[in-house]
Amino acid sequence: MASLNPDDPRAPFLQVAGGLRAAILSGEYAPGAQLPTYQELADSWGVAVNTAKSAVAHLREEGLVVIRHGKGSFVRTQLAEGDSATRPEASGDERVWQAIAEIRKRLGEIERKLGEN
């Protein structure tokens, strides 16, 4: 998994949801696959369990996962027409935030170099 990006302006649960979304859409988690537990997600991302729960709930609202209480969270086997996860802008937003974070990182490096001179 990944870790939180301190330069990303999104809330931590949205960063975790974005990482999970990318893993689902890339096939890392196949349809029907069980996602890691909330505790496993929290440990791998370095966040609180409630943050991991919020991330998975966000993906449930998007229609990417189903939550079976007492069983776990699973990637949906079929996405309905019009689900936000099937729209191009869903992954486009993620790319925009990643690009912004990369630009901020590079700008910080440039500012450090200029400060050294």
Side-chain angles (χ1 to χ4, degrees), residues 3 8 12 18-20 45 49 52 65 75 77 85-87 93 105 117:
S3 59
D8 190 332
L20 286 172
W45 282 84
V49 172
V65 301
V75 178
T77 55
T86 63
R87 295 194 309 254
D93 288 347
K105 178 181 169 188
N117 294 331

Side-chain angles (χ1 to χ4, degrees), residues 5-20:
N5 180 346
D7 294 325
D8 190 332
R10 296 177 299 164
F13 85 94
L14 290 175
Q15 290 187 52
V16 175
L20 286 172

Side-chain angles (χ1 to χ4, degrees), residues 14-90:
L14 290 175
Q15 290 187 52
V16 175
L20 286 172
R21 182 185 309 103
I24 291 168
L25 295 177
S26 74
E28 184 177 335
Y29 294 111
Q34 185 170 4
L35 296 179
T37 65
Y38 297 136
Q39 186 63 58
E40 291 169 340
L41 287 172
D43 291 344
S44 68
W45 282 84
V47 297
V49 172
N50 281 337
T51 301
K53 285 181 182 181
S54 295
V56 174
H58 188 74
L59 294 178
R60 179 180 48 88
E61 291 170 10
E62 288 183 1
L64 274 177
V65 301
V66 293
I67 299 172
R68 297 185 188 131
H69 295 284
K71 302 280 187 194
S73 303
F74 299 84
V75 178
R76 284 190 47 188
T77 55
Q78 293 181 346
L79 296 177
E81 281 289 316
D83 276 349
S84 62
T86 63
R87 295 194 309 254
E89 64 268 16

